[in-house]
Amino acid sequence: MQLGVIFPQTEIGNDPAVMRAYATAVEGAGYDYLSVYDHVLGTTADRVAALGGPYTYAIPFHEVFVLLGHLAAVTQRIGFATEVLVLPQRQTALVAKQTAEIDVLSGGRLRLGVGIGWNAVEFEALGEDFHTRGRRVEEQIEVMRRLWAEELVSFEGRRHRFTDAGINPLPPRRSIPIWIGGSAEPALRRAARIADGLMLQVPVKTAAAHIETVRAMVAETGRDPAGFGISGRVTLWDDSEAVMARVREWEALGATHVSVNTMGTGCAPEEHAERLVAFVETWRGARMNAR
């Protein structure tokens, strides 16, 4: 099982030195990957409440691809993931180009997690249809995989049509892993059918049913559930023992990745990395003692 961190988008501030220090600290501590999640625009509190989301325009978000390009330059080993990128509010070919570039700059360290989003304001401002986002995302994934793998692509689908077009440079692996985030039945079914893994953002106590369901769906498609990734998430509160217990629960459920979040725990910008370094040292020591 890989242990990663959630980049503290909303709390790390705007000092590039702090962001660089965070990335190098968690890499040096031995975390396997760093996940970044995504919003382009925010709106007012009353509109957010109506949309059912948690973030207003007053909460900062660094742009995902620019940030990952920067962090790739200051690290050497740690993997990167989007957890998640709101794919259907973006132009598909541009995302294929941006992700290929991140994969080039990082030496093949990117895993692309995508979701359909909740913020209709973003879709409106970016010129995309909020109501068809679930249907669009599947064709987007098909188009991106073709563009990553082939020098020239011709495609005619329901929403994408182009002839003899290609991105250059191509990603080093000619394929970037695509995971889908979500826990609703359509997201599970979509992930089982076309994705490399599922990113769950539910408490571990409710995750077993989701994991059992998606594995059964994967098997129904003729794919091997053993090769399908599962990612969980824990929040690093003061009680490290309790957090370690939740990580072990995810591991027992068969999670291949667990992301550790520090947002909402009262950290100053520079304290996020400090707490994560201390936690992974405790985690590593506990695992050594258990052997």
Side-chain angles (χ1 to χ4, degrees), residues 32-76:
D32 297 297
Y33 63 92
L34 182 157
S35 287
V36 182
Y37 68 108
D38 168 47
H39 279 292
V40 176
L41 299 164
T43 187
T44 58
D46 58 336
R47 296 190 74 187
V48 165
L51 292 166
Y55 305 113
T56 72
Y57 73 95
I59 296 176
F61 278 85
H62 294 285
E63 201 286 319
V64 169
F65 292 128
V66 175
L67 175 64
L68 288 178
H70 179 68
L71 298 183
V74 299
T75 58
Q76 296 180 335

Side-chain angles (χ1 to χ4, degrees), residues 77-98:
R77 175 198 60 81
I78 196 165
F80 297 114
T82 56
E83 194 174 343
V84 296
L85 179 85
V86 185
L87 179 58
Q89 68 185 13
R90 289 173 166 78
Q91 295 172 304
T92 307
L94 181 58
V95 175
K97 178 74 173 180
Q98 290 169 315

